[in-house]
Amino acid sequence: MSFDELLDQAGGLGRFQIFQLVLFCVINLLTYPHIVLENFTAAIPDHRCWVQILDNDTVSGNVTRTLSQDALLRISIPLDSNLKPEKCHRFIHPQWHLLHLNETVANKTEPDTEPCVDGWVYDRSYFPSTIITEWDLVCESQSLKSVVQTLFMTGSLLGSLIYSLLSDRFGRKVVYLWCLLQLGILDTAAAFAPTFLIYCILRFWAGLSVMTIMINAFLSEWTTSKRKSVGIVLMMSSYSIGQMFLGGLAFAIRSWHTIHLAVSVPLLVLLLPSRKLVESFRWLIVRNQLEKGVKELRRVAHINGKKNAEETLTIEFVKSTIQKELDAVQVKPSVFQLFHALNVIRCLFSFHFRFSNAVSFYGLILNLQHLGSNIFLFQVLFGAITLTARIVSLWTLNYMGRRTNQILFSFLAGVSILVNTFLPQEMQTLRVSLATLGVGSVSAAGTGFTLHQIELLPTVFRSTLGGIVSGFQRTGAILAPLLMTLLGYSLRLPWIIYGVITLLAVLVILPLPETRNQPLVNTLQDVENNTKYSRKVKQEDTSTKVTQF
């Protein structure tokens, strides 16, 4: 392919590509924690109603002085079905008779209770402050925690659509830098939000820029086809490192204000080296900016230490090398033509896979508290297993192909989730093991699809269609926490849905073409030619097998 030949002339894997890869990995390491930030900043601590005889230091009396804290708690807060103090109700009047252990309560009427009208007392041993304790998002307001997550995911959905269109219109670099600036400023400001409403608004606007930062087109469009899978898997591995980083950071820094600042301020600092990024050569060509594209190509060659780049990479040489692409981009195709060229059914299958993969992944990753109390350990554990899965995925992508990778790991993930659903709560170790296997398998399948998606979509519409695919992913991310509301009907129903949706993803991968060792397509003509070429190769292979003997 002519693009790959030019990249080889400029250095297919040189100092520039290494600098770009390291920079993106560091930025993604700090960006990914913003997605799961509420695992810690919105952690729900143990809590109970504020009661006067327990929590008012000005209350005095001989009786309350002689009683222990446990005794005062017993007469002030009713017990739930697990014989633990209620979190959302208190006795209207102290129930002194409960101190007499020998007194039967069979003939006693149920004492009157009331909500926590005076506020709550929180266990601050794990987290001295969260947005839950900041704005009392407990009891009847507990659903507001999922509102924050839903708003952030909704913002990421809208941002993936808006900024992908802007990337195809104005270029990858300027939109990427703007999103980096936006995320750093907004989530820094969120640490100082005076009200919950302002915090929600800031998190929504911060979510707009996340997917553009994490799923950028720079790396794939400045890398040759041979090195593309390694670079993308390494970049996606930084997401896993970001998960582990957040777990360790939250363990060391328990205040939600400080956690916000710790993952946001460094993004503003990274704007300085990000200015040295080079605009996508492929995008400049398809936008008919040949001279600027050649200038950027020479710049990359100079960084990679290629001597005499100006003499070898002339405008005439580049133009003759990619003449077919230049002729093709003169015709401005519409998105409808692209859907027709790629086959509508094939596109819909791609959208469904990204949707189902996101539902199962975020269903697991956003519900750490359902696994146990040590959410720091689970965050690090999930990060480690997704990192391992993505490295394993690199091997399967190279030796088993794109489709086999997604089919294998989607099947493992679906089975793990469904089996885990019907295990008793007492089998905690096995449940955690299956959950980590499920997360790892979903991550490996998603890694394979990310590479597969880039190879399926032509450069002229890669960001636009990638944004649409990402939109389906964000829709799945929005749906994942909302499905947990079904716990009120059945404790197993949300997890059954996660597992079934994941297994359905196996079926939608089958019609997609295999793209391993195929060059990137740049135009609609490339898509059609690749389809015809694939059919021709299959026919030739069949003929060879028949006539070989």
Side-chain angles (χ1 to χ4, degrees):
M1 186 66 181
S2 55
F3 276 112
D4 281 353
E5 293 174 3
L6 289 176
L7 287 178
D8 283 331
Q9 292 274 348
L13 182 62
R15 289 194 294 267
F16 170 75
Q17 281 80 10
I18 294 174
F19 160 76
Q20 187 176 243
L21 177 62
V22 172
L23 178 62
F24 287 149
C25 285
V26 173
I27 291 176
N28 286 341
L29 185 152
L30 292 169
T31 301
Y32 189 87
H34 291 260
I35 298 177
V36 292
L37 208 55
E38 274 75 30
N39 274 343
F40 302 99
T41 61
I44 304 176
D46 287 335
H47 53 277
R48 61 168 176 81
C49 292
W50 185 95
V51 292
Q52 189 174 19
I53 61 175
L54 264 174
D55 307 305
N56 192 345
D57 295 334
T58 62
V59 174
S60 61
N62 292 331
V63 176
T64 56
R65 288 178 180 177
T66 57
L67 294 177
S68 66
Q69 288 289 105
D70 290 339
L72 292 175
L73 184 65
R74 182 73 182 89
I75 65 175
S76 303
I77 306 293
L79 300 180
D80 60 15
S81 58
N82 296 321
L83 300 181
K84 294 183 179 181
E86 281 270 4
K87 297 181 178 182
C88 302
H89 292 87
R90 68 180 185 182
F91 293 127
I92 295 178
H93 303 290
Q95 304 298 305
W96 300 104
H97 66 275
L98 296 177
L99 296 176
H100 304 288
L101 300 179
N102 295 328
E103 184 176 353
T104 61
V105 295
N107 57 351
K108 296 287 185 181
T109 60
E110 193 70 25
D112 293 331
T113 61
E114 63 181 357
C116 303
V117 294
D118 294 320
W120 290 263
V121 175
Y122 298 97
D123 178 9
R124 301 181 184 271
S125 58
Y126 270 93
F127 294 98
S129 66
T130 67
I131 66 170
I132 304 297
T133 62
E134 184 88 9
W135 294 298
D136 289 330
L137 306 181
V138 291
C139 298
E140 65 273 6
S141 300
Q142 186 169 344
S143 61
L144 293 178
K145 173 187 175 180
S146 62
V147 169
V148 180
Q149 293 175 319
T150 302
L151 285 174
F152 184 87
M153 295 299 183
T154 303
S156 66
L157 168 61
L158 295 177
S160 64
L161 298 175
I162 295 171
Y163 285 126
S164 61
L165 292 172
L166 294 177
S167 293
D168 279 337
R169 177 65 180 86
F170 298 105
R172 318 302 198 214
K173 181 178 177 180
V174 63
V175 174
Y176 182 84
L177 293 178
W178 169 256
C179 289
L180 195 60
L181 177 65
Q182 177 178 312
L183 180 61
I185 291 177
L186 290 173
D187 260 350
T188 298
F192 303 99
T195 66
F196 179 67
L197 177 60
I198 294 178
Y199 178 81
C200 289
I201 294 173
L202 290 172
R203 285 291 286 162
F204 170 79
W205 283 104
L208 288 172
S209 56
V210 165
M211 297 313 297
T212 303
I213 296 173
M214 295 180 58
I215 307 177
N216 61 75
F218 280 108
L219 185 65
S220 62
E221 295 184 0
W222 274 114
T223 307
T224 59
S225 300
K226 296 179 181 179
R227 308 290 185 180
K228 183 169 64 266
S229 60
V230 177
I232 291 175
V233 171
L234 288 176
M235 191 174 70
M236 294 189 69
S237 296
S238 64
Y239 306 161
S240 303
I241 299 174
Q243 284 184 269
M244 293 186 285
F245 169 74
L246 178 60
L249 182 69
F251 182 79
I253 304 173
R254 305 298 178 90
S255 171
W256 75 272
H257 303 278
T258 311
I259 294 175
H260 256 280
L261 294 175
V263 297
S264 301
V265 174
L267 292 178
L268 299 176
V269 177
L270 289 171
L271 277 170
L272 296 176
S274 298
R275 294 177 59 189
K276 296 185 177 298
L277 291 172
V278 178
E279 183 56 85
S280 168
F281 172 69
R282 296 175 186 268
W283 178 84
L284 291 171
I285 296 302
V286 299
R287 296 299 296 184
N288 203 23
Q289 300 182 38
L290 179 60
E291 292 185 5
K292 189 173 181 180
V294 173
K295 182 179 178 181
E296 298 288 53
L297 189 65
R298 291 173 179 173
R299 180 183 171 191
V300 171
H302 178 73
I303 295 173
N304 287 335
K306 295 290 183 178
K307 299 181 179 179
N308 302 322
E310 294 186 0
E311 289 77 8
T312 56
L313 297 174
T314 61
I315 294 180
E316 292 74 16
F317 172 75
V318 172
K319 187 175 182 179
S320 62
T321 306
I322 58 173
Q323 187 60 50
K324 291 183 179 180
E325 287 77 7
L326 290 174
D327 293 338
V329 299
Q330 299 303 318
V331 180
K332 302 297 182 182
S334 67
V335 178
F336 298 103
Q337 289 176 295
L338 178 61
F339 275 103
H340 177 73
L342 289 178
N343 187 309
V344 175
I345 300 299
R346 184 189 301 177
C347 289
L348 292 178
F349 284 171
S350 299
F351 299 158
H352 180 274
F353 181 86
R354 182 57 84 182
F355 169 81
S356 60
N357 185 264
V359 169
S360 53
F361 179 78
Y362 287 101
L364 292 168
I365 208 70
L366 293 178
N367 292 290
L368 297 184
Q369 287 189 316
H370 287 269
L371 297 177
S373 59
N374 196 341
I375 57 177
F376 309 105
L377 175 62
F378 291 132
Q379 185 70 53
V380 174
L381 180 62
F382 277 16
I385 196 66
T386 54
L387 175 61
T388 304
R390 282 162 177 152
I391 294 175
V392 172
S393 179
L394 176 61
W395 179 81
T396 58
L397 285 170
N398 287 333
Y399 293 96
M400 300 174 64
R402 301 350 183 191
R403 290 196 308 168
T404 304
N405 169 276
Q406 295 164 74
I407 292 171
L408 171 65
F409 287 113
S410 293
F411 178 78
L412 286 176
V415 171
S416 299
I417 295 172
L418 290 176
V419 172
N420 203 1
T421 301
F422 296 97
L423 287 178
Q425 294 289 337
E426 292 75 19
M427 304 178 68
Q428 186 68 16
T429 302
L430 182 57
R431 285 175 59 84
V432 173
S433 300
L434 285 174
T436 52
L437 175 62
V439 168
S441 298
V442 171
S443 299
T447 301
F449 182 78
T450 298
L451 181 61
H452 201 186
Q453 170 188 323
I454 291 174
E455 294 173 340
L456 284 173
L457 304 181
T459 302
V460 65
F461 277 126
R462 185 168 295 125
S463 283
T464 300
L465 265 185
I468 296 175
V469 174
S470 181
F472 278 84
Q473 179 189 22
R474 305 324 300 166
T475 303
I478 293 171
L479 180 63
L482 292 180
L483 286 175
M484 296 306 294
T485 60
L486 298 177
L487 289 173
Y489 301 95
S490 171
L491 295 179
R492 293 176 177 174
L493 184 56
W495 302 102
I496 292 175
I497 295 175
Y498 292 148
V500 171
I501 288 178
T502 307
L503 288 178
L504 288 177
V506 174
L507 301 178
V508 302
I509 288 299
L510 294 175
L512 297 180
E514 178 59 58
T515 58
R516 181 178 56 165
N517 295 329
Q518 296 294 322
L520 283 178
V521 291
N522 296 294
T523 65
L524 295 183
Q525 187 65 37
D526 289 341
V527 177
E528 296 175 357
N529 290 342
N530 279 7
T531 303
K532 295 176 182 179
Y533 175 76
S534 298
R535 293 173 181 172
K536 182 179 179 181
V537 168
K538 290 180 181 179
Q539 293 174 355
E540 289 178 354
D541 288 346
T542 304
S543 176
T544 301
K545 290 178 182 178
V546 173
T547 60
Q548 188 174 9
F549 295 96

